[in-house]
Amino acid sequence: MRHTKVKDLLNSSVTLQEVNAKGWVRTFRNNQFIALNDGSTINNIQCVVDFENTPEETLKRITTGAAVSVTGTLTESQGAGQKYEIKVSHLEILGDSDPEKFPMQPKKHSLEFLRENAHLRVRTNTFGAIMRVRSVLSFAVHNYFQQKGFVYVNTPIITGADAEGAGEMFQVTSLPLDNLPKTEEGNIDYKKDFFGKHTNLTVSGQLEGETFAMALGQIYTFGPTFRAENSNTSRHLAEFWMIEPEVAFNDLDANMDLAEDFIQYVIKYAMDKCPEDLKFLESRLLEEEKSKPQAERSEMSLLEKLNFVLENNFKRVSYTEAIDILRDSTPNKKKKFQYIIDEWGADLQSEHERYLVEKHFKCPVILFDYPAKIKAFYMRLNEDGKTVRAMDILFPGIGEIVGGSQREERFDVLVEKMKTLGIHEEELWWYLDTRRFGSAVHSGFGLGFERLVLFVTGMTNIRDVIPFPRTPMNAEF
Ligand code: 4AD
Ligand code: MG
């Protein structure tokens, strides 16, 4: 007999039929009740074992973590908490799990402990729910763009370009590190390296994405990106997934409209498809926040927060306005910020972003027209000569979730900018070709996928929303 998924059994409309289920034992109570989970849903199915007619030897092997196959009759449950249960007529242990050694005990484990067991943590309710929501969100991303006729582009993972000009890259080489070939001047001879040049893992697919937008009109990427920033925070990963749409003929306003509509769509999609997982994550968050002082607890529950984002427009504020607000804010005057804001031109830290979103506006905020000095080389210079058409979207509890801009489409202005920043024209000759041949206004943005998953699941550490996190000093699994 083929096995049926637990999710389908629990949604079944016919009972008293013979069924088979396979999964992992979550708990086994009173030598009789197995809570069986197969990952298809957050819910377990209760399997009632006929312990009088089951050999003692078998009963002993029904332990937390064991894989079992149960055959029996699907019946309406008498007990509270579940609609159906399986009255087991035949039980087979597929894979034992030594209860003395299995790390995922049926009790509350700390998130730190679970991170050290990332290969097993997905067997818990919390991580099962997070990973199902993550999967649905990634499908929603494709759905959104495909429905709108965007072309999905796979930009390279190994590249010679530093798209952000920030230099936080992992080098890719096949040169022997203990015996590096040298040039006559004594430098490392990258001509002898695998690609005949210096290469790194991509920090962003944007530059390649732009070349495709300037042919296909509307494109998006969705792939892994890498940053060797040594920031050990709850918002940064060394390997994360980024979604980067790029649209020809869009200006910054159209870019903001697209980002807002896109984010609202994927959140709504997850709420429609994952009601049970989100309900579970909501109660988990509530429980977690009980241990915090009142002032640090969220005013809204998880689902209220998600609904709030769907129902309210993101507040659009210029960088200059934001600086005025921050300069006059209580934490700035009382020197509560780690970085005091006193001048126009200051780079915003996450404490400032969160103040604007969580304390001042109390809604998602899009900041635009940043000082050119603190943004990447490719952003379009405004007529004032000192700000660029950049936009960042800031989310409560997260800070920056999106970074984007209208691109500098004027060849001369772009080349001039690259010169002042010391970016060599020869390295980006192909990028500059988009400005040489049929250049036009275009815009795009990058959304950090894990930051979106953080927001939707109500988790607080980015290491908990990616299967196997890569962070400084950690590449286990
Ligand atoms: O703001 P960033 O650096 O922008 C870019 O890379 C542009 N090329 C995007 C574009 O215009 N096409 O990164 C974009 C987003 C951030 O807003 C953040 O959500 C996420 O990527 N991000 C990270 N997420 C996790 N860990 C990190 N280390 C991240 N760095 C950026
Ligand atoms: Mg950014």
Side-chain angles (χ1 to χ4, degrees):
M1 190 197 251
R2 284 266 179 92
H3 72 280
T4 310
K5 282 186 297 180
V6 169
K7 184 178 185 173
D8 295 336
L9 290 173
L10 293 173
N11 289 330
S12 172
S13 51
V14 270
T15 50
L16 296 177
Q17 48 173 335
E18 176 94 316
V19 296
N20 172 257
K22 292 186 170 78
W24 294 270
V25 175
R26 283 291 172 84
T27 56
F28 185 39
R29 280 190 300 121
N30 299 347
N31 234 4
Q32 197 176 5
F33 303 109
I34 301 175
L36 189 73
N37 190 282
D38 68 353
S40 61
T41 155
I42 184 105
N43 299 307
N44 305 324
I45 192 156
Q46 173 157 288
C47 308
V48 188
V49 178
D50 177 4
F51 61 96
E52 282 168 351
N53 293 308
T54 307
E56 188 61 34
E57 260 322 291
T58 309
L59 288 174
K60 266 200 235 150
R61 294 170 62 198
I62 308 175
T63 55
T64 298
V68 298
S69 167
V70 296
T71 308
T73 325
L74 187 67
T75 51
E76 279 181 39
S77 175
Q78 305 300 310
Q82 67 269 327
K83 192 163 149 214
Y84 294 133
E85 61 190 21
I86 300 173
K87 292 249 179 297
V88 180
S89 54
H90 181 73
L91 181 139
E92 191 188 338
I93 307 283
L94 301 174
D96 288 286
S97 173
D98 184 343
E100 302 291 312
K101 294 189 181 139
F102 184 55
M104 301 292 110
Q105 294 297 317
K107 62 160 198 175
K108 205 172 153 42
H109 291 291
S110 74
L111 292 169
E112 290 76 18
F113 173 82
L114 292 171
R115 256 168 243 149
E116 287 161 15
N117 290 280
H119 60 307
L120 294 173
R121 68 178 177 174
V122 69
R123 295 198 197 180
T124 63
N125 283 334
T126 299
F127 285 89
I130 295 168
M131 294 308 157
R132 279 186 297 268
V133 171
R134 182 182 164 109
S135 161
V136 166
L137 277 171
S138 52
F139 189 73
V141 168
H142 286 292
N143 235 358
Y144 179 82
F145 288 118
Q146 294 286 334
Q147 273 177 20
K148 289 196 170 305
F150 282 60
V151 177
Y152 178 39
V153 185
N154 301 120
T155 48
I157 289 175
I158 301 174
T159 168
D162 176 3
E164 290 304 294
E168 291 158 334
M169 298 175 300
F170 289 103
Q171 192 177 332
V172 176
T173 181
S174 61
L175 291 178
L177 294 181
D178 48 3
N179 184 21
L180 292 167
K182 296 281 169 67
T183 61
E184 273 172 19
E185 295 83 54
N187 299 320
I188 297 171
D189 188 1
Y190 285 109
K191 290 218 169 62
K192 301 231 164 67
D193 203 349
F194 190 92
F195 297 106
K197 63 187 284 193
H198 188 280
T199 53
N200 50 269
L201 294 177
T202 186
V203 294
S204 157
Q206 178 195 321
L207 303 191
E208 291 89 351
E210 280 187 53
T211 69
F212 266 54
M214 296 310 281
L216 300 171
Q218 328 176 79
I219 64 98
Y220 70 106
T221 73
F222 186 3
T225 46
F226 308 85
R227 304 231 173 148
E229 27 188 7
N230 211 350
S231 38
N232 226 329
T233 78
S234 56
R235 305 277 177 272
H236 290 88
L237 290 164
E239 176 179 296
F240 65 100
W241 287 65
M242 186 152 50
I243 295 135
E244 295 185 276
E246 191 72 34
V247 184
F249 317 117
N250 260 10
D251 63 9
L252 190 70
D253 288 321
N255 199 31
M256 293 195 244
D257 292 344
L258 176 69
E260 186 168 341
D261 189 53
F262 164 61
I263 293 176
Q264 288 176 330
Y265 175 91
V266 294
I267 292 178
K268 171 98 182 17
Y269 192 95
M271 291 175 79
D272 289 346
K273 300 282 182 209
C274 307
E276 290 178 327
D277 286 324
L278 291 176
K279 222 173 164 47
F280 173 82
L281 290 165
E282 174 173 77
S283 56
R284 189 210 71 86
L285 183 61
L286 217 62
E287 199 56 40
E288 183 187 87
E289 292 201 331
K290 276 187 190 156
S291 62
K292 288 187 179 170
Q294 191 73 40
E296 283 172 36
R297 295 184 203 168
S298 357
E299 287 165 30
M300 286 185 238
S301 75
L302 179 60
L303 290 167
E304 281 169 347
K305 225 169 51 175
L306 298 180
N307 268 315
F308 183 86
V309 171
L310 298 189
E311 287 158 11
N312 292 280
N313 292 335
F314 300 2
K315 179 91 184 145
R316 300 183 186 188
V317 186
S318 74
Y319 166 89
T320 304
E321 286 172 75
I323 284 290
D324 288 342
I325 294 166
L326 288 167
R327 214 171 2 209
D328 290 341
S329 71
T330 316
N332 200 56
K333 287 185 183 152
K334 291 196 169 160
K335 307 223 181 306
K336 286 268 156 60
F337 284 145
Q338 202 184 337
Y339 296 87
I340 300 301
I341 300 279
D342 40 31
E343 270 182 62
W344 189 94
D347 202 355
L348 300 184
Q349 306 296 324
S350 115
E351 56 180 346
H352 308 126
E353 298 175 340
R354 294 187 62 171
Y355 174 84
L356 290 169
V357 175
E358 289 158 29
K359 297 284 183 312
H360 190 84
F361 291 109
K362 295 182 188 288
C363 73
V365 172
I366 311 184
L367 288 187
F368 62 91
D369 285 353
Y370 280 77
K373 282 215 173 75
I374 59 173
K375 288 290 181 188
F377 73 95
Y378 50 70
M379 298 187 180
R380 192 179 196 290
L381 191 64
N382 276 312
E383 303 315 316
D384 63 11
K386 57 175 194 173
T387 61
V388 285
R389 300 247 76 192
M391 64 119 173
D392 276 7
I393 303 186
L394 314 179
F395 257 48
I398 308 288
E400 179 190 334
I401 193 164
V402 160
S405 66
Q406 185 176 316
R407 317 307 189 188
E408 183 55 78
E409 83 282 11
R410 298 164 297 183
F411 181 85
D412 295 342
V413 182
L414 184 58
V415 167
E416 197 48 44
K417 183 69 174 283
M418 287 168 60
K419 264 198 200 119
T420 49
L421 292 176
I423 302 169
H424 299 297
E425 251 181 80
E426 316 83 75
E427 265 170 45
L428 289 179
W429 63 273
W430 52 272
Y431 182 66
L432 288 169
D433 268 1
T434 55
R435 274 66 169 176
R436 281 191 187 99
F437 309 115
S439 188
V441 164
H442 61 289
S443 301
F445 62 85
L447 173 114
F449 186 55
E450 284 73 23
R451 295 200 185 167
L452 173 72
V453 183
L454 263 185
F455 183 74
V456 175
T457 58
M459 299 302 290
T460 45
N461 192 316
I462 201 161
R463 293 166 179 79
D464 296 332
V465 297
I466 187 163
F468 298 102
R470 298 289 177 250
T471 50
M473 305 311 290
N474 173 41
E476 195 63 47
F477 307 105

